[in-house]
Structure formats: structure tokens, C-alpha cells
Amino acid sequence: MFESTDKKSTPLSSLGEFGLIEHISKKVIIRNPSTVKGIGDDAAILDFEDKYTVISSDMLVEGIHFDLSYMPLKHLGYKSVIVNISDIYAMNATPTQIIVSMSLSNRFSLESVEEIFEGINLACEVYRVDLVGGDTTSSTSGLTLSITSVGKVDKADVVERSGAKPNDLIVVSGNLGAAYLGLQILEREKIIFQENPSIQPELEGYEYIIERQLKPEAKRDIFKLLKELNIKPTSMIDISDGLSSEIIHLCRQSNVGCHLFENKIPIDTAVSFTCEELNMNSTTVALNGGEDYELLFTVPMECYDKIKVCDELSIIGHITEEKEMKLLTLSDSIVDLTAQGWNALLKRENK
Amino acid sequence: MFESTDKKSTPLSSLGEFGLIEHISKKVIIRNPSTVKGIGDDAAILDFEDKYTVISSDMLVEGIHFDLSYMPLKHLGYKSVIVNISDIYAMNATPTQIIVSMSLSNRFSLESVEEIFEGINLACEVYRVDLVGGDTTSSTSGLTLSITSVGKVDKADVVERSGAKPNDLIVVSGNLGAAYLGLQILEREKIIFQENPSIQPELEGYEYIIERQLKPEAKRDIFKLLKELNIKPTSMIDISDGLSSEIIHLCRQSNVGCHLFENKIPIDTAVSFTCEELNMNSTTVALNGGEDYELLFTVPMECYDKIKVCDELSIIGHITEEKEMKLLTLSDSIVDLTAQGWNALLKRENK
């Protein structure tokens, strides 16, 4: 980290596009019967039989979504897949295929591309997803990754954002705010390093929040848990832009409102400690931080007992008929929720 | 062209990502029954019932694939869809949905994005394709468009690259080389304009080749014609990188070779004239030019009579058992075909 290493560097132009595709394809393993044909034709061929196909896309741009001075390329590859398949789980669907397109400037070598694909292939292995196609091209500056993920779901099982009903419980998985704080620490250490390259970054004690930033996971366990509990959420969304922004999406699309309880928002102790150190409010961080990739969903009130006993799930409020989104604070005052979440159309620095 | 205009300019940051998505969504019309749900959730929901889903992705990068000094934004939007759905037709499939991701630097306004989407929506209308999702984000420099296209095909109808058999006829639609020459003329006029901005570009007489470069079309008509003729090609590919490169792909994946005849390669008179003017060889241009988006396919020899009478189709050679790719030239010599096609990993200027 924060260091340039003397690794082997093969210019991409020495392979050409087809050579690069062939090179990448060699390490691709197909795991899903729905993949009829992967890389190597004008298009991939998929077969979902009687199921719905779900499909989603995300673009990650260097200097906007990631900073290679502290984001290792392998982690970037891994994270870019996670960010995408998280959307598939949020439809209550199983991710099955991804398509990866990337543009790279000539500062990237074959070895850099290999590192990115190491991360992509690892995520494919862990989540049993098939890499079935994409595009690789040059750019005049920087690295852009655009991934499309495809999944399947039984028609009766699909969960949209729009199904939340009054009195439904609002549930969130895991805990919130860690990825955002991890980013703050990495940015802080980067500035210190830039000012004095002899000082090595101080990352001890921040492992958890930094891992949440650099190597997030998609919530497959929650997807499985809900199946085991025989619970089909009435609505669901993944938290990429912060709890506040996501609950507002969910309420607006369901034409309802909500009451959230500040004291119920799950916050890890590592987040509390770091917030104290950085003089930040942990609720603000949880509401607006983003990049958690936890699942936010609503369930009928009857599910209370089933949810209550799950350590991985927190009931943080309920849906209201009145179309207002409110937070009951620790000091018993009621405030409006606002969407101040991550806005990818503003630069990270302007946030 | 080659001019800056004083149009209204609304900064994208004034809308934010969600505002922009809402704005774009308003003009989106859903036309396909396979689109269960389009923009507005974590993922789009598609239903292909008993058909195969085919899926393909392409990335277009400013400064590599297009130059906004002569490519109007609306045309860019249109072309970016065409480039993509061309791959779907090349599987003998019908395009049904696209997903559009783009990153833009702050030099692009809301009005620029609207122009791009005008072109995208027009292509969607013409080709009856649904825009069902995507991602919009900022970039530190330039514009990148990444489009994923989805299509459907009856399982028995899918045509891959790998099915060509010895003695099959090699057929190409339309004519070749025009898009590449259009680019040469646009680049020439750009240089003249840069050297002396008072000189207006001389584009008269070049309308056809410039249109092939700026506003290509996907070969839906050929796809329909083949159905009418009751011909299922044994293999098919779209010509994006030049005839030579594509026939090599097709032969390698089919484990066969080919004989092409120079005198059979379809070249428009506008291409011949411009080649003469630019002192270029029209066969070289047709073999290596790229961006034609014509369909190249093989059919059993029995189809000769059916194909022969179609003005839109040219029989340019045949498949051989011997795995060599040869061209019989006008002077009756035999030369090896080589893939010198468009290489997106080299910069356009280095080509």
C-alpha cells in the first residue's frame, strides 16, 4: 500500500484485444447450468427456463469510486462484482452470470489486468457466478469498470422496492457506517503519507472498517436465512447510498412513510470508536455513509418473532400509512429523514 | 459540426443522480412483453419463458472510439445502441432490452445527456428495444458509454460462430469499408479546420460514407430476410473489426479454413471513388476497415440459388477443410488473410 513495486510489466498492446480476451478466458470456470455459452461469441447464451431473469449494471470510475493509491487491484475486481450482485440479492434473486467491461489507459499492464481479474474470478468462485462476456478497451486516462450482473428468481419469489405496507417492520442486516469510516481512515492516511512518505500508514485497530471498505461482501447469507425462515420480504433494497437514501426510495416506491428509531440502528463498536476519534456522529454516518451493501427490507408484523432471534438482523422501525419519513432520535425528538447519501455525480471530494 | 454553440447548459450536479435517472426515465417507453419491470428497482426483471436469453456488452470511450468534435451526441447515443444490438442479430436473435451506463466529466451538462438519450431512445424506437436500467456517474475526464444488450431466440434458431462446415458458402450483407473511409474524411476535415477555423469542412459527395460512420444501422433486415428465405446460417458474426479479422474468428472457432475472392467483396462506388482520392486500396479498406456492422455468415451450398438473387447479399467465398484462410486476388495470386482489424487496445491514431 502507498508504494510502487517493481513487478513485471507487459504492455497490453503486445497482446492486442483478442490476445487479452483469450488470456482472461483461460481462467474462467463455468458453474451454472443456465450458462449455455459464455465468452467467445457475439453474445453469451443463457437459459432461465421458467424463471425470471433479473439484470443490473454498475460503473466504477477511477478517481470517483476508487483510489488506486490504497485500493489494491485484486480488491477492486472483487468489490466491483460484489457491488453488482448485491443488487441481484436485493431482488431476492440468485446471481448467475456477470459481464465485465473495462477501459484502461496505457499506464496499466497485462499484470494489472490479471490482478483485477484475480479479484473478479475469486468473487465468481465465492458467489458461484459465471463470467460470460464483456469488452476490454483502452482509455485516454484512468480505469473504468462496468459490470452487468444477471440472476434468476422463481416468479413467485421476486421482491421489488414497491411492496412495503403500513405496519410492516423495517429490517436491516449486519451493521451500518463501517465502509464509509474505512474510507475516511484511508483518505486520512493517504494525506499523511503524501506529506511525508517516510511515515507508514497507521491502520492498526481499523482492520474491520477498512475491510468493509476494500473488501465488502454481498449478503447471500441473509438471502439464504430468509428462505430458511420462510420469510418473503414485502419490499427490499440494498444499501449502497446510505440507510436514509434507501429507506426514502423504498417508501416513495411503495407509496408509504416510515418511523425509524435511532437507538435500533445497528452500529459496530469499531464504528462507534472511530466516530468518537474523528468527532463524527455515528448515526449520521450510518444514515448517510453508503457502501455498506447490507440488505434493507420490510416484512409483515407477524414475522417479528422469527426476525427478533436472528443476530444478523435488526428491526429498526416500521412502515406508516402517512407518507412521511421520520427518525425518532435518542433524545426523543422526531426529525425528517433526508437523502444526503453518496452522490456519484458529485466528486468524492465535494461530498 | 466543428463549432461550439451557445445552448442552454444545466449542470448535472444540480439534479443529482436520482434526479437525472428520473428525468431520463420519463421518456422511456416499454415495448416488449418480456420486460416485466424496467428502470426503478435494484435490477430489471425480464421473462424469456422457453427461449434462450442472449447478452452482450460494448464500451465506447471518448478519444478512443469517438471524437465529439465531429460526432454529434445524438448520433453517438444512436450508434452506441446499434453497435450493441448488432451482436444480438449476429446470434440470429431479436434484441429486446438494453442497459446503459455512462460516466461523464463536468464539462457535460444535462442538455448533453438529453441529446445522448435522444439518440438512444430513437434507436430503441426504431429497433423496438426497451431501455431497462443502467448507471450514471461522473468521471474525472471524458465520456464513457457502456451498453449491455439482451435478446431472445428460439432454442433451435441460435447461430454461433462455431458451426461453419467445409464447402459452406461465405456470405456478407451490404457492402464494406464505407464507415472506415467516412472516419478518414472526418479526420482529414478536422485537421484542416484546426489549422484554419475559417475553412468550413468539405463533406459534399461523402454523405454516404460519413453516414455509415456516424449513423450506422444494425442488420435487422438481413435477419428478417434469412427467416423469409427459411435459411438458418451454419455460423454468423457481425463485422465490427473488418472482414479479415471476423472471417478468421469464424474459421478458427469452426475449426475450418476459407477461400475468399477479392472480386466478390462488395464495395460501394462511393468507397471506390474515395479510395482513389485518398490513394488507398479498396480491398484493404474492406478487409481491415471495421465498423461496418454488416453480417458475415456461412450457409450450406444448397442455399446458393436463394442467396444469389438477393441484392443485399454477396457470396464472397467458401469454407475449406484445410485450416488456412486465403484470399484469391484480382491478379489470381493467393495471399494469407491476416487480422489487422481495428484494435481498441491501440489508440485510433496509432492504427
Side-chain angles (χ1 to χ4, degrees):
Chain A
M1 190 169 147
F2 304 123
E3 279 172 69
S4 72
T5 48
D6 289 323
K7 288 194 219 157
K8 196 182 162 208
S9 176
T10 311
L12 286 173
S13 53
S14 69
L15 283 95
E17 187 181 358
F18 306 134
L20 182 60
I21 292 170
E22 212 180 305
H23 189 85
I24 293 165
S25 305
K26 276 184 202 150
K27 295 188 180 161
V28 168
I29 299 162
I30 297 296
R31 298 176 176 91
N32 287 286
S34 59
T35 306
V36 180
K37 179 155 194 176
I39 298 170
D41 215 303
D42 294 281
I45 307 173
L46 314 179
D47 186 3
F48 292 106
E49 296 170 346
D50 55 347
K51 293 186 200 304
Y52 277 153
T53 308
V54 290
I55 184 163
S56 179
S57 235
D58 274 298
M59 201 178 226
L60 300 182
V61 182
E62 186 178 357
I64 308 292
H65 300 92
F66 59 88
D67 183 332
L68 292 178
S69 62
Y70 49 74
M71 172 60 104
L73 288 168
K74 186 174 171 182
H75 284 63
L76 174 64
Y78 192 88
K79 182 171 175 174
S80 66
V81 177
I82 298 306
V83 167
N84 262 272
I85 62 175
S86 177
D87 284 315
I88 303 298
Y89 286 118
M91 303 299 289
N92 204 29
T94 306
T96 44
Q97 287 88 12
I98 55 166
I99 291 197
V100 175
S101 290
M102 65 173 76
S103 68
L104 314 108
S105 71
N106 57 13
R107 92 175 204 268
F108 294 92
S109 63
L110 170 63
E111 288 73 18
S112 326
V113 177
E114 284 179 328
E115 277 180 57
I116 298 171
F117 273 96
E118 259 180 58
I120 289 172
N121 288 333
L122 179 60
C124 285
E125 189 186 328
V126 172
Y127 290 90
R128 303 200 61 73
V129 165
D130 299 338
L131 171 63
V132 295
D135 196 9
T136 314
T137 182
S138 49
S139 77
T140 50
S141 80
L143 169 62
T144 298
L145 267 162
S146 175
I147 300 195
T148 300
S149 52
V150 180
K152 60 174 183 180
V153 57
D154 284 337
K155 291 182 183 180
D157 287 349
V158 68
V159 176
E160 302 183 30
R161 292 180 179 174
S162 54
K165 300 273 177 301
N167 301 320
D168 278 358
L169 302 173
I170 301 170
V171 186
V172 69
S173 67
N175 63 73
L176 301 175
Y180 175 77
L181 279 189
L183 179 63
Q184 302 315 306
I185 295 298
L186 289 165
E187 291 276 356
R188 181 184 76 179
E189 296 301 314
K190 180 187 170 185
I191 291 165
I192 294 170
F193 179 80
Q194 280 172 337
E195 284 167 0
N196 188 344
S198 70
I199 300 178
Q200 278 303 301
E202 273 288 352
L203 301 177
E204 221 183 288
Y206 303 115
E207 291 85 354
Y208 176 69
I209 59 173
I210 288 175
E211 183 161 350
R212 289 291 303 257
Q213 168 59 223
L214 295 184
K215 192 168 177 286
E217 298 291 349
K219 301 303 151 188
R220 179 175 49 176
D221 295 348
I222 305 303
F223 167 82
K224 287 183 179 167
L225 177 65
L226 289 171
K227 293 237 179 306
E228 279 162 30
L229 294 172
N230 202 18
I231 291 175
K232 182 189 168 189
T234 50
S235 70
M236 185 151 58
I237 192 168
D238 75 319
I239 301 183
S240 49
D241 293 330
L243 173 62
S244 187
S245 164
E246 309 299 358
I247 189 75
I248 290 173
H249 277 310
L250 207 149
C251 286
R252 285 205 182 131
Q253 294 196 35
S254 297
N255 209 21
V256 292
C258 71
H259 277 176
L260 293 191
F261 300 95
E262 184 177 3
N263 66 345
K264 301 291 185 191
I265 296 175
I267 289 170
D268 190 86
T269 48
V271 170
S272 309
F273 283 137
T274 313
C275 275
E276 213 161 296
E277 184 193 343
L278 300 179
N279 200 20
M280 295 173 105
N281 178 298
S282 61
T283 302
T284 308
V285 165
L287 285 172
N288 303 312
E291 296 198 276
D292 294 311
Y293 304 110
E294 297 292 350
L295 289 173
L296 173 69
F297 55 94
T298 55
V299 294
M301 201 144 31
E302 305 85 81
C303 299
Y304 181 86
D305 290 339
K306 284 186 189 173
I307 300 277
K308 196 64 196 137
V309 295
C310 298
D311 290 341
E312 309 90 325
L313 301 177
S314 304
I315 300 169
I316 58 170
H318 58 263
I319 295 294
T320 60
E321 193 149 3
E322 208 181 357
K323 292 174 194 62
E324 287 173 352
M325 281 74 89
K326 301 285 188 189
L327 177 75
L328 187 78
T329 68
L330 295 175
S331 58
D332 275 339
S333 56
I334 295 177
V335 296
D336 286 330
L337 285 168
T338 50
Q340 297 170 353
W342 168 263
N343 190 334
L345 283 173
L346 304 173
K347 281 200 58 178
R348 184 161 261 186
E349 293 86 308
N350 300 337
K351 212 182 157 184
Chain B
M1 189 169 147
F2 303 124
E3 280 173 68
S4 72
T5 49
D6 289 323
K7 288 194 218 155
K8 197 182 161 209
S9 176
T10 310
L12 286 174
S13 52
S14 69
L15 283 95
E17 187 181 359
F18 305 134
L20 181 61
I21 293 171
E22 213 180 306
H23 189 86
I24 293 165
S25 304
K26 275 183 201 150
K27 295 187 180 161
V28 169
I29 298 162
I30 298 296
R31 299 176 176 91
N32 287 287
S34 58
T35 306
V36 180
K37 178 154 196 178
I39 297 171
D41 215 303
D42 294 282
I45 306 172
L46 314 178
D47 185 4
F48 292 105
E49 296 170 347
D50 55 346
K51 292 184 199 307
Y52 278 152
T53 308
V54 290
I55 185 164
S56 180
S57 234
D58 273 299
M59 201 178 227
L60 300 183
V61 181
E62 185 177 358
I64 307 293
H65 300 91
F66 59 88
D67 183 332
L68 291 178
S69 63
Y70 50 74
M71 172 60 105
L73 288 169
K74 186 175 170 180
H75 284 62
L76 174 64
Y78 192 88
K79 181 171 176 175
S80 65
V81 177
I82 299 307
V83 168
N84 262 272
I85 62 175
S86 176
D87 284 314
I88 302 298
Y89 287 119
M91 303 299 290
N92 204 29
T94 306
T96 44
Q97 287 88 13
I98 56 165
I99 292 196
V100 176
S101 291
M102 63 173 76
S103 67
L104 313 107
S105 72
N106 58 12
R107 90 175 206 267
F108 294 92
S109 63
L110 171 62
E111 288 72 19
S112 326
V113 177
E114 284 179 328
E115 275 180 59
I116 299 171
F117 273 97
E118 258 180 59
I120 289 173
N121 288 333
L122 179 61
C124 284
E125 190 187 327
V126 171
Y127 289 91
R128 303 199 62 72
V129 165
D130 299 337
L131 171 61
V132 296
D135 197 9
T136 313
T137 183
S138 48
S139 78
T140 49
S141 82
L143 168 63
T144 298
L145 268 162
S146 175
I147 300 195
T148 300
S149 53
V150 181
K152 60 174 183 181
V153 57
D154 284 338
K155 292 182 183 180
D157 286 350
V158 68
V159 176
E160 303 183 29
R161 292 180 179 174
S162 54
K165 299 272 175 302
N167 301 320
D168 279 357
L169 302 172
I170 301 170
V171 185
V172 70
S173 68
N175 62 73
L176 301 175
Y180 174 77
L181 278 190
L183 179 63
Q184 302 314 306
I185 295 297
L186 288 166
E187 292 275 356
R188 181 183 74 178
E189 296 302 315
K190 180 187 169 184
I191 290 165
I192 295 170
F193 178 80
Q194 280 171 337
E195 283 168 0
N196 187 346
S198 70
I199 300 178
Q200 279 303 300
E202 273 289 352
L203 301 176
E204 223 182 284
Y206 302 117
E207 292 84 353
Y208 176 70
I209 60 173
I210 288 175
E211 183 162 348
R212 288 290 303 257
Q213 168 60 223
L214 296 184
K215 193 169 176 285
E217 298 291 349
K219 301 303 153 191
R220 179 176 46 177
D221 295 347
I222 304 305
F223 167 82
K224 287 182 180 169
L225 177 66
L226 289 171
K227 294 239 178 303
E228 281 162 29
L229 295 173
N230 203 17
I231 291 177
K232 183 189 167 189
T234 49
S235 71
M236 185 151 59
I237 191 167
D238 76 320
I239 301 183
S240 48
D241 294 329
L243 173 61
S244 187
S245 165
E246 309 299 357
I247 190 74
I248 291 174
H249 277 309
L250 207 148
C251 286
R252 286 206 180 133
Q253 294 196 32
S254 297
N255 209 19
V256 292
C258 70
H259 278 177
L260 293 191
F261 300 95
E262 184 178 3
N263 65 345
K264 301 291 185 191
I265 297 175
I267 289 170
D268 190 86
T269 48
V271 169
S272 310
F273 283 137
T274 313
C275 275
E276 213 161 294
E277 183 193 343
L278 299 180
N279 201 21
M280 296 173 105
N281 179 298
S282 62
T283 302
T284 308
V285 166
L287 285 173
N288 303 311
E291 295 198 276
D292 294 311
Y293 305 109
E294 298 292 351
L295 289 173
L296 174 69
F297 55 94
T298 54
V299 294
M301 202 150 20
E302 305 85 82
C303 299
Y304 181 86
D305 290 337
K306 285 186 189 174
I307 300 277
K308 196 68 197 133
V309 294
C310 298
D311 289 342
E312 309 90 324
L313 300 177
S314 304
I315 299 170
I316 58 171
H318 58 265
I319 296 294
T320 60
E321 194 150 1
E322 207 181 359
K323 293 173 195 60
E324 286 173 355
M325 283 73 89
K326 301 283 187 189
L327 177 76
L328 188 78
T329 69
L330 295 175
S331 57
D332 277 340
S333 57
I334 294 177
V335 296
D336 286 328
L337 286 169
T338 50
Q340 298 169 352
W342 167 264
N343 190 334
L345 283 172
L346 304 173
K347 282 201 60 178
R348 181 161 263 182
E349 294 85 311
N350 299 340
K351 214 184 156 182

